[in-house]
Amino acid sequence: MLGIMLDHKSKVSLKRQIYNHIKDGIMTGRIKAGEALPSTRDLSKYLAISRQTVCEAYDMLLSEGFTESRQGAPTRAIEGLNLGYEATHQMTQSPKQKKAVIKADFSTGQPDLRCFPGFAWQQSCVRGMSNMSLDQLGYTDSQGLEALRDEISAWLYRSRGMIANPRDIFVTTGTTLSLHILSSILYREEKDIVVEDPCHMGMLRALRQKRYSICPVPVDAHGLQVEQLNGTRACMVYVTPSHQFPLGGILPAVRRAELIRLAQKNGFYILEDDYDSEFRYCGEPVAPLYSMDNQQVIYIGTFSKILFPALRVGYIILPESLHKRWQYFRTHTDVQNSPFEQAALAEFLKTRKLDKHILKMKRLYGERRSVLLKSLEELFGQSWRSWGDAAGLHLAVQFPGREFDKKLIQKCKDAGVNFRPVEYHSILKGGHCDKILLGYGHMEPDEIRNAVGLLSEMINPPYSV
Amino acid sequence: MLGIMLDHKSKVSLKRQIYNHIKDGIMTGRIKAGEALPSTRDLSKYLAISRQTVCEAYDMLLSEGFTESRQGAPTRAIEGLNLGYEATHQMTQSPKQKKAVIKADFSTGQPDLRCFPGFAWQQSCVRGMSNMSLDQLGYTDSQGLEALRDEISAWLYRSRGMIANPRDIFVTTGTTLSLHILSSILYREEKDIVVEDPCHMGMLRALRQKRYSICPVPVDAHGLQVEQLNGTRACMVYVTPSHQFPLGGILPAVRRAELIRLAQKNGFYILEDDYDSEFRYCGEPVAPLYSMDNQQVIYIGTFSKILFPALRVGYIILPESLHKRWQYFRTHTDVQNSPFEQAALAEFLKTRKLDKHILKMKRLYGERRSVLLKSLEELFGQSWRSWGDAAGLHLAVQFPGREFDKKLIQKCKDAGVNFRPVEYHSILKGGHCDKILLGYGHMEPDEIRNAVGLLSEMINPPYSV
């Protein structure tokens, strides 16, 4: 009857099977418009199941408008439903992607996840969760948990003498979201978003997603060439003053003051991305631009380089004039952060576990940096020089006279040696062809030595001095 | 010397205090450009601290470019730094906001958080976390954990007979983000985003954030009036077919087929927002549009109404043609979801805890709905009628002949009786002045009875029939 075959072992309930079968029949035309369905009594007898089950299936069809029923008349399929094709849904397995065998991985921005204090973090998660009130399971507020904002403020003060009011701190899910929203809030027609050139391509794409006008300004070994800002029509300037990405310079105080003076005069905002200044191996972390001016400077921080990238918690410090606009956009972009991660991080900060972890990792990364420099010296002699300040998780290396073109990069990649040329991050191409980036944070000393060995095999022979 | 006063009890290190003091001095002009700083020997004697500490502070100033130092000459403040004002950062307490005393809270979309299975969720969190691999702490992939996508697919099948390939499922942080990104991906110049009128204002704002052109199409008791789509220039149509928000209709099968036919013919996408169809009190959940066409229909799901709003995990099911575009935009909007919540939810689904919770809540909400209907009957007699289907966490109620204008709403609010008029969600105003929304999911039966009592005190006397 109607061709229905029930599968009594299926996880799908019998009434759902009946419903599905009749619905498909109507939509594919196997059951014609106006055709009467068998009575519930007949169908239940035929299928040898309870009449109740069939009635429930018929009710579903009726309430969703696939059938109609008039007092005393049989239930009929409704008109206008035949879409003329079989609904073809297939459950296929997603093909596993083939991964090239990587022998030397110099990718940047990778903390060493093997050192992640998993147990301490788990403790913080459980404690954070049990301290949460019921209210915090509802929609709370796009600004973030007060406890976390207080802890971030205290941490900024003790780690870098920076004074930030918890009221001005807005929790985010990371720098990408911060830039995505800021570019919407701060962009003005006929104006430019000024970025450093070279700069992080992911961040550039977050800023330019809406095809806003981008104006690149070159950097040198000391970061952004601020004097070249004259004549630009900036509405915001995106900078990494503590450790320029990717070339590594610290913006000198004179340029900082000049940048702030320009921002005050021309009314643009400075987006200060402080992505890894915790890891500075000579002396203290650099004091942020924000400490010089908290009205024109918007400070953007993240925990993904300190803890782990998948932790989607960052923050942004905003002048009061932007609070409302930020909250409106944040609410209608992704509403708010999850409270669990926020509570866990607040606990992790409060119990000083973050401080301990940074201290440990700073020593470790510093050692790895030394190993990298020494290996380069051993294998490349005098043919290279490093750029930028002793900070972060990667090194920018220049090989004067050599050219890292696409062919060479691909050749290395095919041999399992992965690294990015600085040119990848350049907007105006051609200025940094002799420089590459070597991420070392995620590698053990032995891995670094091996990786540099493989690198030298790839790029030394044809170019050897 | 230089007016430095050290605070030995401060949490700020001594060298940081010295650094801060000199930096502020230079920037405010108290230390003139070119002025020599005292030698490290002299300053350390004067302050009675180790010379090493002073040297470190001087190194920080030097490396950040606040001072310069030539062989044999004293360290001097650099020129061009005086910004001419004191950096005024003040730590002030954020003022606590006054909250009006709410006596009857009929707000919509509020699950009862008191019934949240906190312990089971915590278990899932811990188990999910311990099953996570180290890789998952790094940047994984914007599509979401495979384990979670598999579980969502299985759950959709067993809960509503819906077939969705895990490969087409993309984890999100909720419906707002889904709409935010989809509006960017699918919008075409000279075209409209069609929305139901009335519709959820938060969703509307997520769609129109970029001032895209919005075309409202009216709904009746059965949802979107699909025939009125003729003549619109839609590039996408946002609908809530399983339970129209806010009026509650189920879109009948004929309108569904017509909507899909139009989408196929005109090449627009249907954004199907299935926000609470789990809670349907007569019969099974409604089969989604997606089951009728998985190429033009994009299915948007959320867990915030089932579990709790602060859980920032939702999902979207996309045709293959949109996978790449979605991933590019997602990566440059907020990168990816946190892995912890994903792992926890996967575990919660796998162990069938979600199914149990839904079953329990459905019974509970169904009872509360009955209490609400009964209370309305007792206190308002025949002067009202309910709209829409027996589903969800709120009821749309019409009081023919009455007008819920701003003045009346405010009067109720001042008396602690909170509810939204349907007009709040209307785009073209004036069509639903006699209807209000009563959210009941979050209230116990007694609370509901009290709240309806207060409501009747507010709106019965001046309008009594």
Side-chain angles (χ1 to χ4, degrees):
Chain A
M1 201 173 280
L2 293 178
I4 297 178
M5 307 268 285
L6 292 180
D7 176 1
H8 288 265
K9 284 181 190 154
S10 166
K11 277 188 280 181
V12 182
S13 68
L14 294 179
K15 74 176 160 189
R16 175 65 73 180
Q17 290 184 47
I18 297 170
Y19 163 86
N20 280 343
H21 189 91
I22 298 180
K23 192 191 78 178
D24 285 352
I26 293 173
M27 288 184 51
T28 56
R30 277 185 282 114
I31 302 173
K32 303 262 169 325
E35 188 176 327
L37 301 187
S39 73
T40 52
R41 182 186 304 265
D42 290 351
L43 190 56
S44 64
K45 273 191 192 154
Y46 170 81
L47 294 171
I49 57 175
S50 85
R51 191 171 164 198
Q52 175 65 15
T53 304
V54 178
C55 286
E56 283 174 10
Y58 275 39
D59 283 347
M60 281 162 70
L61 290 163
L62 186 66
S63 72
E64 291 176 27
F66 287 100
T67 57
E68 56 187 347
S69 162
R70 278 191 210 95
Q71 196 93 38
T75 299
R76 290 176 189 282
I78 228 162
E79 276 180 62
L81 284 174
N82 178 1
L83 291 172
Y85 62 91
E86 291 266 349
T88 50
H89 299 281
Q90 289 195 332
M91 297 284 266
T92 55
Q93 279 299 312
S94 56
K96 300 273 175 207
Q97 279 184 344
K98 253 195 194 174
K99 269 198 176 175
V101 182
I102 299 172
K103 294 177 192 162
D105 179 15
F106 286 111
S107 48
T108 56
Q110 306 288 330
D112 193 337
L113 299 176
R114 292 170 293 195
C115 301
F116 172 65
F119 182 69
W121 176 253
Q122 222 173 73
Q123 274 185 316
S124 296
C125 285
V126 172
R127 205 164 305 161
M129 223 179 321
S130 45
N131 290 342
M132 271 175 60
S133 71
L134 219 52
D135 284 353
Q136 289 169 350
L137 298 177
Y139 293 113
T140 45
D141 135 39
S142 68
Q143 189 171 3
L145 293 192
E146 199 173 333
L148 176 58
R149 291 186 284 113
D150 286 347
E151 287 300 333
I152 291 175
S153 170
W155 174 68
L156 288 172
Y157 187 61
R158 68 175 183 271
S159 70
R160 57 198 87 173
M162 179 174 161
I163 294 175
N165 193 321
R167 209 179 45 186
D168 296 326
I169 296 176
F170 290 73
V171 178
T172 70
T173 59
T175 301
T176 303
L177 183 71
S178 301
L179 295 183
H180 176 77
I181 295 178
L182 284 175
S183 74
S184 283
I185 294 179
L186 301 180
Y187 188 71
R188 284 183 287 156
E189 292 289 333
E190 316 264 307
K191 293 277 186 177
D192 295 329
I193 299 176
V194 170
V195 297
E196 299 167 332
D197 185 14
C199 83
H200 192 288
M201 281 296 115
M203 300 305 126
L204 180 66
R205 288 188 200 119
L207 285 166
R208 74 147 41 133
Q209 207 172 118
K210 298 179 198 80
R211 296 188 203 161
Y212 289 154
S213 158
I214 298 281
C215 168
V217 166
V219 305
D220 57 24
H222 305 290
L224 186 72
Q225 298 182 25
V226 175
E227 74 279 7
Q228 298 212 28
L229 274 174
N230 285 312
T232 60
R233 306 163 307 171
C235 55
M236 57 190 128
V237 176
Y238 171 70
V239 280
T240 50
S242 306
H243 186 225
Q244 202 276 329
F245 188 92
L247 290 176
I250 296 184
L251 199 66
V254 174
R255 292 195 193 175
R256 286 171 187 245
E258 180 59 21
L259 181 58
I260 288 174
R261 206 178 279 123
L262 280 172
Q264 289 168 347
K265 192 178 127 201
N266 300 322
F268 62 73
Y269 286 96
I270 300 166
L271 316 189
E272 175 177 30
D273 183 357
D274 189 2
Y275 63 102
D276 72 358
S277 77
E278 288 77 16
F279 302 124
R280 190 159 166 242
Y281 312 113
C282 303
E284 292 280 295
V286 182
L289 278 177
Y290 182 83
S291 296
M292 296 168 77
D293 182 317
N294 63 2
Q295 292 305 306
Q296 300 304 125
V297 179
I298 295 168
Y299 183 86
I300 306 170
T302 176
F303 292 100
S304 56
K305 303 284 178 295
I306 310 178
L307 277 167
F308 54 96
L311 175 69
R312 302 315 300 156
V313 185
Y315 58 95
I316 183 168
I317 311 178
L318 288 173
E320 204 178 332
S321 54
L322 295 175
H323 287 191
K324 277 198 177 161
R325 254 194 289 174
W326 171 273
Q327 276 178 301
Y328 181 89
F329 266 79
R330 176 77 206 270
T331 304
H332 298 106
T333 298
D334 72 335
V335 190
Q336 64 170 78
N337 275 56
S338 145
F340 295 116
E341 282 189 317
Q342 291 186 73
L345 185 57
E347 184 68 24
F348 203 76
L349 281 160
K350 193 176 161 191
T351 50
R352 300 288 191 273
K353 283 173 187 152
L354 189 76
D355 306 56
K356 259 180 237 159
H357 182 58
I358 290 177
L359 219 63
K360 176 183 141 194
M361 296 313 285
K362 193 170 149 175
R363 211 191 52 236
L364 204 76
Y365 292 147
E367 285 165 14
R368 291 176 182 183
R369 186 183 167 88
S370 304
V371 171
L372 176 61
L373 289 168
K374 211 172 147 223
S375 302
L376 286 169
E377 215 170 283
E378 279 169 19
L379 287 163
F380 291 95
Q382 299 295 315
S383 68
W384 64 283
R385 76 181 195 84
S386 78
W387 270 58
D389 192 64
L393 305 174
H394 77 271
L395 186 71
V397 183
Q398 181 179 16
F399 292 88
R402 299 192 184 180
E403 193 187 338
F404 293 92
D405 55 13
K406 276 188 185 159
K407 219 174 114 191
L408 177 55
I409 301 292
Q410 189 58 48
K411 200 184 109 194
C412 293
K413 204 172 178 177
D414 292 343
V417 181
N418 274 8
F419 60 88
R420 278 266 163 81
V422 172
E423 276 291 295
Y424 173 84
H425 294 285
S426 295
I427 301 171
L428 298 175
K429 299 290 180 192
H432 299 282
C433 298
D434 57 354
K435 301 182 195 75
I436 62 175
L437 300 175
L438 302 179
Y440 56 81
H442 56 297
M443 287 193 271
E444 302 266 7
D446 273 350
E447 293 174 300
I448 295 174
R449 282 184 209 105
N450 281 337
V452 175
L454 288 167
L455 180 71
S456 99
E457 279 172 29
M458 292 311 297
I459 65 174
N460 254 339
Y463 296 90
S464 59
V465 189
Chain B
M1 201 172 276
L2 293 178
I4 298 177
M5 306 267 286
L6 293 179
D7 175 2
H8 287 266
K9 285 180 190 154
S10 166
K11 276 188 281 184
V12 182
S13 69
L14 294 179
K15 73 177 159 190
R16 175 63 74 180
Q17 290 185 46
I18 298 170
Y19 162 87
N20 281 342
H21 188 92
I22 297 179
K23 192 191 78 175
D24 286 352
I26 293 173
M27 287 184 54
T28 55
R30 278 186 281 114
I31 301 173
K32 304 260 170 328
E35 187 176 327
L37 301 187
S39 72
T40 52
R41 183 186 303 264
D42 289 351
L43 189 56
S44 64
K45 273 190 193 155
Y46 171 80
L47 294 170
I49 56 172
S50 84
R51 191 169 165 197
Q52 175 64 16
T53 305
V54 178
C55 286
E56 283 173 11
Y58 275 40
D59 283 348
M60 283 162 70
L61 290 163
L62 187 66
S63 72
E64 291 177 27
F66 287 101
T67 56
E68 56 187 348
S69 161
R70 277 190 210 99
Q71 195 94 38
T75 300
R76 289 174 189 283
I78 229 161
E79 276 180 63
L81 286 174
N82 179 2
L83 291 172
Y85 62 89
E86 291 267 347
T88 49
H89 300 281
Q90 288 195 333
M91 297 284 266
T92 54
Q93 279 300 310
S94 57
K96 300 274 175 207
Q97 279 183 346
K98 254 195 195 173
K99 269 193 175 176
V101 182
I102 300 172
K103 295 177 192 162
D105 178 16
F106 287 110
S107 46
T108 56
Q110 305 288 330
D112 192 337
L113 299 176
R114 292 169 294 195
C115 301
F116 171 66
F119 182 69
W121 176 253
Q122 220 173 74
Q123 273 185 317
S124 296
C125 285
V126 172
R127 206 165 304 161
M129 222 180 319
S130 45
N131 289 342
M132 272 176 59
S133 70
L134 218 52
D135 284 354
Q136 289 170 350
L137 297 178
Y139 293 112
T140 45
D141 138 38
S142 68
Q143 189 170 4
L145 293 192
E146 200 173 334
L148 176 59
R149 291 186 283 112
D150 286 347
E151 287 301 333
I152 290 175
S153 169
W155 173 67
L156 287 172
Y157 187 61
R158 70 175 182 271
S159 71
R160 58 198 87 173
M162 178 174 163
I163 294 177
N165 194 322
R167 211 179 41 184
D168 295 326
I169 296 177
F170 290 73
V171 177
T172 70
T173 59
T175 302
T176 303
L177 183 71
S178 302
L179 296 183
H180 176 79
I181 295 178
L182 284 174
S183 73
S184 283
I185 293 179
L186 302 179
Y187 189 70
R188 283 183 289 156
E189 292 289 331
E190 316 263 308
K191 292 276 187 180
D192 293 331
I193 299 176
V194 170
V195 298
E196 299 167 333
D197 184 13
C199 82
H200 192 289
M201 281 295 115
M203 301 305 126
L204 179 66
R205 289 190 199 117
L207 286 166
R208 73 143 46 130
Q209 207 173 121
K210 295 177 201 82
R211 296 186 202 163
Y212 290 155
S213 157
I214 298 281
C215 170
V217 166
V219 305
D220 57 22
H222 305 289
L224 187 73
Q225 298 183 24
V226 175
E227 74 280 6
Q228 297 213 29
L229 274 175
N230 286 312
T232 60
R233 306 163 308 170
C235 54
M236 56 189 130
V237 177
Y238 170 71
V239 280
T240 49
S242 306
H243 187 225
Q244 202 275 328
F245 188 91
L247 291 175
I250 296 185
L251 200 66
V254 175
R255 293 196 194 174
R256 287 172 187 245
E258 180 58 20
L259 181 57
I260 287 174
R261 206 179 280 122
L262 279 173
Q264 289 167 348
K265 192 179 128 203
N266 300 322
F268 63 73
Y269 286 96
I270 299 166
L271 315 189
E272 174 178 30
D273 183 359
D274 189 2
Y275 63 102
D276 71 358
S277 75
E278 287 78 15
F279 302 124
R280 193 160 162 241
Y281 312 114
C282 303
E284 292 280 294
V286 182
L289 278 177
Y290 182 83
S291 297
M292 296 169 77
D293 182 318
N294 63 1
Q295 292 303 307
Q296 300 303 125
V297 178
I298 294 168
Y299 183 86
I300 305 171
T302 176
F303 293 99
S304 56
K305 302 283 178 296
I306 310 177
L307 276 167
F308 54 98
L311 176 69
R312 303 314 301 156
V313 185
Y315 57 95
I316 184 168
I317 311 179
L318 288 172
E320 203 178 333
S321 54
L322 294 176
H323 287 192
K324 277 198 177 161
R325 253 193 290 173
W326 171 273
Q327 276 179 299
Y328 181 88
F329 264 80
R330 176 79 206 268
T331 303
H332 297 106
T333 298
D334 73 332
V335 189
Q336 64 170 80
N337 275 57
S338 145
F340 294 115
E341 282 188 316
Q342 292 186 72
L345 184 58
E347 184 67 25
F348 202 76
L349 281 161
K350 192 175 163 192
T351 50
R352 301 287 191 274
K353 284 173 188 153
L354 188 77
D355 306 56
K356 259 179 241 161
H357 181 59
I358 290 177
L359 219 61
K360 177 183 141 195
M361 295 314 286
K362 194 169 147 174
R363 212 191 52 236
L364 203 75
Y365 293 146
E367 286 166 11
R368 292 177 182 184
R369 187 184 166 87
S370 304
V371 171
L372 176 62
L373 289 168
K374 213 173 144 222
S375 301
L376 286 169
E377 217 169 280
E378 280 169 17
L379 287 164
F380 291 94
Q382 300 293 315
S383 67
W384 63 285
R385 77 180 194 85
S386 78
W387 271 58
D389 193 65
L393 306 175
H394 77 269
L395 186 71
V397 182
Q398 183 179 16
F399 293 88
R402 299 193 184 179
E403 193 188 338
F404 294 92
D405 55 12
K406 276 188 185 159
K407 219 174 114 190
L408 177 56
I409 301 292
Q410 189 58 48
K411 200 184 111 195
C412 294
K413 204 171 178 179
D414 292 343
V417 181
N418 274 9
F419 60 88
R420 280 265 161 82
V422 171
E423 276 292 295
Y424 172 83
H425 294 285
S426 295
I427 300 170
L428 297 176
K429 299 291 178 191
H432 300 282
C433 298
D434 59 353
K435 300 181 196 78
I436 62 173
L437 301 174
L438 302 179
Y440 55 81
H442 57 295
M443 286 192 271
E444 302 267 8
D446 275 349
E447 294 174 302
I448 295 174
R449 284 184 209 104
N450 281 337
V452 175
L454 288 168
L455 179 71
S456 100
E457 280 173 29
M458 293 310 298
I459 66 175
N460 254 339
Y463 298 91
S464 58
V465 190

